Amino acid sequence: MSETPVVIEQHGHAPFLQHHFHTAEQQADASKIGMWLFLVTEVLLFGGLFVGFAVMQSMHPEAFFAAHHHLDRTLGLINTLVLLVSSYTMVMAVDSARRGKQRALMIYLLLTLMFAAVFLGIKYIEYSHKFHEGLLPGKYYSHAGDTVPGQFMFFSFYFMMTGLHGIHIVLGMAAITWLCFRARRGDFSPAYYTPVDMVGLYWHLVDIIWIYLFPLLYLIQ
Amino acid sequence: MADVMALKPGVGGQAAPNYLTASRGLKSWLFTLDHKRIGVMYLASVLAAFLIGGVFAMLIRMELLTPGPTLMSAEAYNKAFTLHGVVMIFLFIIPSIPAALGNFALPLMLGAKDVAFPRLNLASYWLYLAGALMGVVAMVSGGIDTGWTFYTPYSSSTGGAVSLMTLAAFVLGFSSIFTGINFIATIHKLRAPGMTWFRMPLFAWSMYATAIIQILATPVIGITLLLLVMERVFNVGIFDPKLGGDPVLFQHFFWFYSHPAVYIMILPGMAVISEVIPCFSKKPIFGYKAVAYSSVAIALVSFLVWGHHMYVSGQTPVASAIFSFLTFLVAIPSAVKVFNWLATMYRGSISFQAPMLYAIAFLLLFAIGGLTGIVLGTLSVDVHLHDTYFVVAHFHYVMMGGTVIAFLAGLHYWWPKMFGRMYSEKWARISAALVFVGFNLTFFAQFLVGSRGMPRRYYNYLEEFQPLHIVSTVGSWVLAAGFFLMAGYLYASLRKPIDAPANPWGATGLEWQTSSPPSVHNFDHVPVVTTEAYAYATETEETTVGAR
């Protein structure tokens, strides 16, 4: 930025350029730094849960192994694929925005939103099944006929981890909906599509966290 | 406060409104995106929190004036020291320098118009307010008696508003994270033309290091506190030994954040000192790069020492030995800083104005606080001193003698810039003396009583400890007198018309090149940096050296 002092006095015409930035590039770079740092905090937030899970699993390996049989691997696998495809549609949305293809951008955003809804729908089926069988966290665990004690702890983690992940899915859907409104208003162009880019990064993180959650919870050996 | 200033636009400043007078009304403050106004709102808020935390401190000291009941019941005492700790740490110290002084000063020092994400900055302040409100509700709806560390299994089984208070700390954590994200992006992308990394003021380096810790450590306390709430609500089992959980795991999680958090508190203090000492010694900082890198080194090592809080919690001797060794490492970058500050003062033309008095007090008190930290980091000694008043005295020498004294140095240093008013130098010096004497009376006595075996957090004590407790309590009154005096002369300065020159201290930073108080956009022209930081009259010094 120091090489282009001329640009400094020209701010103000691009509607998306905030007053305290000199160039659009500087503004986009700042957003990227901010978003990546935010993703780091997300990784550490989930990291605490992963460490807690690892410690508790090492203390109660039989209970965790027995408990994980109650999960439906097929539904878990389908949901993994659904999220992977949604990451693909998100990438295509970012790419469409970068190329200025407004119609494709809207279609890919809506597709991503749809896959997110499918994910939550399958999660709902799984949750209601667990609720029905009394496979609940902590003191609400009431599953009958357990041979191995202590399985409630696995479901404590199952609900905390998938629940926190689910909240992130919902927040992501809200962000994508916001993008849809802005896209319809024509806010994005090849010169400015930072919000699409940033929500895309967030969505991939939510996807990656699930990719770790799936084997951790569903595929214990 | 805002209205007082808005009514008096100043003698010569009628032409150009400053950031305080540019717009009026409560809404213009609560919805402002101006980093300077957000800094001022944070300042008012942290000072209010300091008052609340201070009142709890006075109550604790009053209770300990005599053995047995003096003023309150044992239960009330437990709540008083818990709330003192929670308020001082989460509502006062952590946001004090970064969010209040840093928000105001950092963009000015970098020659920027604002922080990178002004809306995130405002969100950070709102989250702070929300967290503070939750904290206050928790205080009046039952309070909490766990100590600020929230150790399980006590915290997962005791009554009171533990869940609400931990959620408050969770929300405050996000406020702190947002400040950290903002500062890193600002330092990376918004430096003025010509301001390279090694031309930045050292304040920015320390803020950068602080922000790294805020971002990497705070989410872990966030999830830990959520897990504690889950434990209380659902009995999930992770921390409760009755259910097969591990209470020591909570301590690991807690200190994985809370030890680095100690450096979230002290690094900003060091940031201020690195500004004040060159300015009032009229010399460039000695060893710029060493001071800059030592901030980053402290930030990195801070993540590897949490186990030194847990020597007696049943961790393996090998782990304890490693943590002890790593703890000693922290002393190296800390000492690098102290020696460089001293070398900066050496042969400087030192003027003892209020900010410098606080900076010198910092050096003395931080040296004691830091060295007793080495004592406590030593395995065998710690087993004797663990959970005694020696520990209490140690962390008050670092947190209050270090961070709070540095905060006061910064407050007096930037006050003319923030509000355009000069405070009474005479009263400021008297107040600094009272604070220094009162602080040492209060806490040095605690080193002595702690080394003789007085445990911390106890309501009652043996009669032979009473003389030292009396010294400590009387010291707290002197300390309080110093603070009330300070509140008096600072408030009095606000009632004057604007009288501060742009650069009252003859300092070199960019923030002193704009008017006091600055205009809304900080600078009339984007400043261009052509020299190193702290370019204080180097030629004259060379001539004197050469003449010898």
Side-chain angles (χ1 to χ4, degrees), chain B residues 118 188 190 409 438 472 485 537:
Chain B
H188 269 280
L190 289 177
S472 184
L485 182 58

Side-chain angles (χ1 to χ4, degrees), chain B residues 104-168:
Chain B
F104 179 86
L106 185 69
L108 287 167
M109 296 170 93
L110 298 174
K113 285 182 186 164
D114 209 318
V115 290
F117 313 117
R119 269 178 294 203
L120 192 68
N121 203 15
L122 183 63
S124 154
Y125 181 69
W126 280 1
L127 283 179
Y128 174 86
L129 278 189
L133 195 67
M134 290 162 75
V136 170
V137 172
M139 269 179 228
V140 295
S141 69
I144 60 166
D145 61 350
T146 60
W148 82 277
T149 49
F150 310 117
Y151 268 17
T152 53
Y154 184 68
S155 60
S156 56
S157 53
T158 181
V162 178
S163 296
L164 187 58
M165 190 57 99
T166 47
L167 284 175

